[in-house]
Amino acid sequence: MSLARLAELHGVATSYAPSPDVTVLVPDDTVVSVLAALGVDASTPASVDEALSRAESAAASRLLPPTLVLWSAHGAEAAELPPALAALPTGTTLRLATEQGESLDLPAAGSAAAAVAAGRSDRPASAVSTWTLLPPGVHRLEARAPDGRTALATLVVAPGRLPAPPARTHGFLVQLYSLLSGRSWGMGDLGDLAELATWSGRALGAGFVQINPLHAAVPGAPTDPSPYRPSSRRFPDPVHLRIEAVPEYAYVLGPDRARLDALVEQAAALRESVLDKGALIDRDAVWELKRAALDILAGVPLGPGRRAEYCDFLAAQGRALEDHATWYALAEVHGPRWRDWPEGLRDPRSDETAAARRELLDRIDFHCRLVWLTDGQLAAASRAAEDSGMAVGIVHDLAVGVHPDGADAWAQQDAFAAGMSVGAPPDAFNALGQDWGLPPWRPDVLAASGFAPYRGLLQGLLRNAGALRIDHVMGLFRLWWVPEGQAPTRGTYVRYDAEAMLAVLALEAHRAGAVVIGEDLGTVEPGVREALERRGVLGTSVLWFERDWAGTGRPLPPESWREGCVATATTHDLPSTAARLTGEHVGLRHRLGLLTHPLEQEQAEVRREVTEWLDCLARLGLLSGGGEEEEIRAVYRFLLRTPARMVGVWLPDAVGDRRPQNLPGTWDQYPNWRLPVADAEGRPMTLEQLAASPRLHALMDVLRPPTAPPRARPA
């Protein structure tokens, strides 16, 4: 009982329910390991009792938690004061240092604050206005009780709801690396993104383009191709740069120009190998060429205006960018596994690291400049989307975690739980559970810092985003921690301060004017979707999963879908619509030995499911004929029948691509994250060919709003 109580006080689960009628107990050794990662010794009964006594004593004497949330009034809803304020002793004084630099004395706790928090009708009007008129931001609150106790807490004042799409809209979902134009260097880049946004917004009436994470990768050969296992989530990867769009490109002269022209020719050959010769996208080869080109461009002096802009960027990003660039400079010398570096360099604040910063100043500046250049092209793509009339714009993606060997894990070691990895418990789809190899944030460190690492991450991502998709949004509430060396089945859930995580998200999204989309597929804890919906976070609804699970199990009628979601037919982890309709994805999984039942049984199940959906589409009058293309159009007509605020078109669906971009459960058996968009016969297509595709235009005519301006047909 003592261990369970200690675990509860630190947000560590000792049991979990994979289904409503099943409860699984977490092994004690797992609980002990997780508590150790949180800095709590529970290795012996005596240490458990001692830790429990300390924790309960601290909780009893604590005036305030480290972070508080004040939700601003929204619509008919009143402002929501933190309950912890009402629990303060009568006579406690409160003083607020605002983010804006003001200092305010707030109504005394135990009187006005308690009355407001309790919602009593006799609460003083002056007290109400003082609290409800606090500016949005991250402030510091000091409390002083009559008995001499004091507390210093972070107060997050956030809007009650996040921004919503200004109107119902549709757009493309695409993995950017897979979208090559006739100008890209072997993989899609930010120039291609700007072109896609401009074309689809102006010619097709699209309201957004949703892309994969563009986070910085861990360098090396081979680089992990997954965009969901990055070195850093805060800063973008310069591999996405359009080299010719860097302003200094035009001023390269003499021998450097000849070298640069040679690199352009090599890039053309690399692009041709992917588009015409069946080669896979080779991120390492692309980066080798781009890095050589960027080394040349770094030798071109910045003009006065560009220099001033760069200096402002460095000042705004501060130590976070310096740490990021330092890690990359050190990785060039010592390799990307920082735990194998000389001991002094493993600590970003050591004297040895400070000396290395001085020695590697030029390379650190180089990597800072790459982030600045990439940020500039991200901003240009965002402007292109806005100028094209898109209602939302570019939807960026936030991965659930970072690589344990990467820059974030090195620079923020105190914020990550050592010896732990994020994953998923066993469920109906994976009896062995999952270990994603990503170190989790420590909830106690986040709270104590006022969620500073999280805030910095969001600010960086939202700089150039019309919307942000959060992968595994349930991680704002709890994550499945797996101790190092253990099977995923021997993990447990660790809870986060979801109220604070949502408040910080709402605040930063409000400042950026950005919509937020949560990927809430799979097992979702009760109450999570309701909490997200209350704050205006859109969910993700995929056609094949939307069924009346509580009743008949049949396809959910379109009018029964939720409004607050992005509705789509598939995702990067699922079969394309063409593959699902034809059952080709079953054959692929069979060839790779991934089926859990006999081939004939799985094929029969897929035929039954597809037939059920096609019958549904026909009954609704959405299927006007036969054939694959018409069936795909009918699927998207169905999505338009739902009340979903956003309808996402998987770009490969528009041209009949059969292949998934990622096949979960595979590593080297399948070319995950390395396939270009292709037509129904598997022939890679350029962005220019996509824009001229009759099949694509026939599908997009289904989604074009009736009031959209006429467009020219492709030649």
Side-chain angles (χ1 to χ4, degrees), residues 88-325:
L88 288 171
T90 300
T92 299
T93 60
L94 298 171
R95 188 168 185 81
L96 189 72
T98 71
E99 183 182 290
Q100 292 78 12
E102 297 179 279
S103 182
L104 304 173
D105 289 319
L106 296 175
S111 55
V116 175
R120 295 206 304 265
S121 59
D122 61 342
R123 60 191 185 273
S126 60
V128 175
S129 62
T130 300
W131 284 99
T132 58
L133 296 180
L134 288 177
V138 180
H139 315 306
R140 296 297 286 169
L141 179 66
E142 183 180 2
R144 187 176 297 275
D147 61 8
R149 287 180 296 155
T150 61
L152 192 62
T154 299
L155 176 66
V156 181
V157 180
R161 283 182 67 83
L162 285 84
R168 193 188 192 206
T169 188
H170 69 276
F172 283 124
L173 317 177
V174 64
Q175 301 283 289
L176 179 58
Y177 59 83
S178 72
L179 184 68
L180 285 74
S181 71
R183 297 176 179 175
S184 49
W185 285 29
M187 62 181 281
D189 61 32
L190 291 171
D192 298 323
L193 177 59
E195 288 280 0
L196 175 64
T198 299
W199 164 67
S200 61
R202 293 181 181 275
L204 304 178
F208 65 92
V209 172
Q210 179 178 308
I211 56 174
N212 55 284
L214 303 185
H215 308 322
V218 176
T223 300
D224 188 336
S226 172
Y228 292 93
R229 195 169 151 83
S231 171
S232 173
R233 295 189 294 173
R234 177 164 181 170
F235 296 108
D237 197 318
V239 76
H240 300 108
L241 282 169
R242 171 67 63 84
I243 297 297
E244 295 88 341
V246 175
E248 286 68 40
Y249 182 89
Y251 302 107
V252 177
L253 302 172
D256 282 344
R257 170 54 63 183
R259 291 172 54 214
L260 195 54
D261 290 345
L263 291 170
V264 171
E265 291 181 8
Q266 293 176 59
L270 189 59
R271 177 178 64 244
E272 181 184 355
S273 70
V274 174
L275 294 174
D276 300 331
K277 299 180 180 179
L280 298 175
I281 293 170
D282 187 341
R283 184 194 178 283
D284 293 330
V286 173
W287 177 235
E288 184 178 350
L289 294 178
K290 289 192 176 183
R291 183 175 59 184
L294 290 165
D295 276 326
I296 295 172
L297 298 184
V300 178
L302 297 176
R306 293 272 289 166
R307 169 61 61 181
E309 181 186 343
Y310 178 43
C311 290
D312 284 349
F313 183 80
L314 292 176
Q317 299 302 316
R319 192 173 79 176
L321 177 57
E322 182 184 4
D323 284 346
H324 177 83

Side-chain angles (χ1 to χ4, degrees), residues 476-490:
L476 299 182
F477 296 77
R478 64 180 186 177
L479 281 171
W480 184 257
W481 286 24
V482 181
E484 186 176 359
Q486 296 292 331
T489 53
R490 297 185 65 82

Side-chain angles (χ1 to χ4, degrees), residues 17-99:
S19 61
D21 56 343
V22 176
T23 298
V24 178
L25 297 179
V26 175
D28 284 353
D29 61 339
T30 295
V31 176
V32 170
S33 295
V34 171
L35 285 171
L38 293 170
V40 179
D41 181 8
S43 57
T44 66
S47 62
V48 169
D49 291 340
E50 183 180 349
L52 180 58
S53 176
R54 283 198 306 270
E56 290 180 332
S57 176
S61 62
R62 185 180 65 187
L63 274 180
L64 291 173
T67 298
L68 297 166
V69 172
L70 171 62
W71 293 103
S72 301
H74 173 76
E77 295 183 0
E80 304 172 39
L81 275 183
L85 291 178
L88 288 171
T90 300
T92 299
T93 60
L94 298 171
R95 188 168 185 81
L96 189 72
T98 71
E99 183 182 290

Side-chain angles (χ1 to χ4, degrees), residues 339-421:
R339 290 177 178 84
D340 294 338
W341 293 353
E343 185 173 356
L345 298 180
R346 299 173 202 168
D347 179 0
R349 305 290 162 248
S350 70
D351 292 339
E352 291 87 345
T353 300
R357 290 182 199 270
R358 293 189 291 270
E359 294 172 7
L360 298 172
L361 187 60
D362 287 346
R363 295 308 296 170
I364 292 173
D365 180 70
F366 173 74
H367 289 287
C368 285
R369 186 182 293 202
L370 297 192
V371 173
W372 172 59
L373 293 175
T374 311
D375 181 80
Q377 292 195 11
L378 283 167
S382 181
R383 287 193 300 271
E386 183 178 355
D387 292 345
S388 76
M390 284 189 163
V392 175
I394 307 299
V395 183
H396 286 276
D397 200 350
L398 172 60
V400 71
V402 295
H403 198 291
D405 293 330
D408 283 2
W410 175 75
Q412 302 172 14
Q413 292 174 48
D414 59 330
F416 289 99
M420 293 290 144
S421 176

